[in-house]
Amino acid sequence: MATLDINRVRKAYGNLEVLKEVNISVGDGEFLVLLGPSGCGKSTLLNIIAGLEDITGGEVLIGNRVVNDLPPKDRDIAMVFQSYALYPTMTVRQNIEFGMKIRGIPAEERAKATNAAAEMLQMTGLLDRKPSQLSGGQRQRVAMGRAIVRHPDLFLFDEPLSNLDAKLRVDMRTEIKRLHQRLGTTIVYVTHDQIEAMTLATKVAVMKGGVVQHFGPPQEVYDRPANTYVARFVGSPAMNIIPGRLLASDGVPTVAFDTPQGEAVVRGVPLSAETAHRFAGRDVLVGIRPEHFGLDPCGTVPVGVDVVEPTGPDTLIVFAAGGTEVVARLEPFDAQVGRQERFSVKAEKVVLFDPATETRLD
Amino acid sequence: MTDISQSAAVPGTAPQRPAATLSARLARWLPRLVMAPSFLVVLIGVYLFIAWTLWISLSSSAMLPRYDFVGLEQYVRLWNTPRWHTAVINLFLFTGLFLGVTIALGLLMAILLDQNIRAEGVLRTVYLYPMALSFIVTGTAWKWVLNPELGVEKVVQSWGWDTFAFDWITRPETAIYCVVIAAVWQSTGFAMAIFLAGLRGIDSSIIKAAQIEGASLPRIYASIIVPLLRPAFLSVIVLLSYISIKSFDLVLALTNAGPGGSTEMPSTFMFAYTFQRNQMGVGAASAIMMLMTVAAIIIPYLYSELREDTHGH
């Protein structure tokens, strides 16, 4: 078990900078998720932590030990790959024991560790099969078993669930979470799936273009995204970013935006007095999560229903506001396209962004 | 086919029927017509003459074919010929060395080329190029290279190392190794290309995983990558064995089975006895022996390949 500190890490291929001054620090036993679209540098960062790619600048510390120049095998890590990376010519047992064999662990101990891991992952019956005889989920289990027997300081997962079908992905997600709770080992997990990030992480680092956009606990990333990029990337449907304005107010921060049906006013958004004063009367971007709208005859947001999408537990209503399309997630009701409704907004959940920098206003 | 017969069965479409069946018949027969000439040529040129050779090997033919039956007499005579023994021993020696050295060098070169080196495309072409030459050209070129009066020995001596000797091609006990050298030179690039293709198909994260587990590079190759190349090994072994058994032109051009018959191979033996020494029966018997040897290698290979095909791999 160990802490992980990434200090001002940079990585460049020639002139192409793929990581720019990345700073991340997690404590012992945390579950860090690196979240971002493909090409954002998250896998590169994971490979740097693993030692599979060398570092251009900065330092990586595992358990307060600088590992920049250590080869992967001396970093006390175990990695699970997207393609599972099982050795095709070996049986499951040989796959799991290969690393221990190299480290010179006696056969008896190897067998014991393998059996324990197999039991934990419920694959005792698979030990004598070849990887080609296993399903995707079973291969994933073997890859995890191979990582577990190492008892590493740090587990690295590189998009481990992307090759599985939707149903299995949910099951394996739960399994990974259970594994983390049971072993308590620090985990770094790379994914582009924001739901995986939300469900698994104790800390999320949202990345884009080699820069960490937001680093914090998942709930914080969800509730108070650092900028509009994070706001749009995390959550499904994404947070609505509506161009509006901050009213010169009497001490209660109030925003307004236009809908074709009239002006919508939201009183009491969270904003410090200083920022409220500075932005009074200016344009702002109003961030509202779809579930923070409510159907309310006395609501302050006049709405013309454009599209109705019932999902079962909720009904999604698409309407126009501030020149963009806005989605509201409401309890199912008898929604009619073209009808006018009034929505209320949970003002305390509204996030404001500076239109110039697109960063959050506090 | 089923569509046509079904539509023809519908009463309203009856007038179309003759045209449909004519084109259908043509469609059915055209592939067979196109294939027929080559099928006929192969049938006569290969299988008929295999049968004919088998018959000759069981007859008392000498200078001219004689269509009688003497049982296995020619085979007995063949196996009592010392020169045939030399040919068989040479074949095993040559095949063993040729396969071993070609595979070892080809694999080594493929592994080295697979290390993300610069100008890989150029090097690959350079190594593969000898394959484009005929064995006659290879044999002639190496005859000069290995000739003590013209080649390596002469060059090194002219540099001042007067006692240097490399006269293997002139000595009966070493001449066969010269054939091996030339054959290895020609085929190594080919083995390399097949191994390289195999290496390219291996998921790089497997290697990363093994690295993280602490395996050294030689260990990764020995325990994981080389076992994964099994299909490539099988292809190389089968193709090279077949090349070595039928090797005829190379020996003829390089040593002409000499000196003193020391580089005789079954193929040159067959040629000499059938067409030069007027012992057609013995020649045919040796040809059948070669066919059996090739079949012993190729048939299990084809069998395993075809079985994999039906399993949908």
Side-chain angles (χ1 to χ4, degrees), chain A residues 1 16 75 105 112 154 156 175 178 185 190 214-215 225 232 250 267 271-272 340 342 355 359-360:
Chain A
M1 299 203 203
L16 181 70
R75 296 189 178 200
I105 292 167
K112 221 168 100 185
L154 197 60
L156 306 176
E175 199 135 335
R178 189 174 292 139
T185 313
V190 164
H214 193 157
F215 172 59
R232 289 199 178 100
D250 46 354
R267 273 176 68 82
L271 201 65
S272 68
Q340 301 219 356
R342 293 193 81 82
T359 52
R360 188 184 68 227

Side-chain angles (χ1 to χ4, degrees), chain B residues 288-303:
Chain B
I288 293 297
M289 293 307 304
M290 284 165 64
L291 177 70
M292 303 288 217
T293 319
V294 173
I297 296 168
I298 299 283
I299 287 173
Y301 173 69
L302 282 182
Y303 182 73

Side-chain angles (χ1 to χ4, degrees), chain A residues 8 25 41 44-45 56 78 86 93 99 118 140 160 174 183 225-226 233 280-281 287 331 345 348 359:
Chain A
R8 302 190 322 282
S25 179
T44 308
L45 183 58
T56 309
L86 302 179
R93 183 183 289 282
Q140 188 60 68
T174 314
L183 299 172
F233 196 81
E331 294 222 336
V345 174
E348 73 277 12
T359 52

Side-chain angles (χ1 to χ4, degrees), chain B residues 229-293:
Chain B
L229 290 178
R230 222 195 99 207
F233 269 98
L234 196 66
S235 304
V236 170
I237 289 172
V238 167
L239 292 170
L240 291 185
S241 331
Y242 154 78
I243 289 177
S244 88
I245 291 169
K246 77 181 182 82
S247 66
F248 170 73
D249 34 9
L250 179 67
V251 180
L252 218 60
L254 188 65
T255 61
N256 197 11
S262 64
T263 53
E264 190 78 88
M265 295 282 262
S267 52
T268 55
F269 178 94
M270 186 275 291
F271 179 71
Y273 273 69
T274 310
F275 300 110
Q276 294 170 341
R277 292 175 168 234
N278 299 334
Q279 298 200 33
M280 201 175 247
V282 176
S286 71
I288 293 297
M289 293 307 304
M290 284 165 64
L291 177 70
M292 303 288 217
T293 319

Side-chain angles (χ1 to χ4, degrees), chain A residues 200-266:
Chain A
L200 291 171
T202 62
K203 288 275 174 61
V204 178
V206 184
M207 296 180 68
K208 179 198 168 199
V211 177
V212 175
Q213 305 286 326
H214 193 157
F215 172 59
Q219 198 63 48
E220 177 199 296
V221 171
Y222 187 80
D223 288 341
R224 305 285 296 162
N227 54 38
T228 54
Y229 177 79
V230 177
R232 289 199 178 100
F233 196 81
V234 178
S236 176
M239 182 184 259
N240 301 296
I241 311 281
I242 310 163
R245 58 211 164 267
L246 191 67
L247 301 179
S249 61
D250 46 354
V252 185
T254 304
V255 289
F257 53 89
D258 296 317
T259 71
Q261 285 68 36
E263 187 182 56
V265 178
V266 181

Side-chain angles (χ1 to χ4, degrees), chain A residues 29-31 176-185 187 202:
Chain A
E30 292 224 58
F31 197 126
I176 290 174
K177 183 128 196 175
R178 189 174 292 139
L179 190 76
H180 178 241
Q181 284 162 357
R182 201 159 154 180
L183 299 172
T185 313
I187 291 180
T202 62

Side-chain angles (χ1 to χ4, degrees), chain A residues 39-53:
Chain A
C40 73
K42 58 192 193 298
S43 290
T44 308
L45 183 58
L46 192 75
N47 283 339
I48 283 176
I49 297 170
L52 295 169
E53 293 204 39

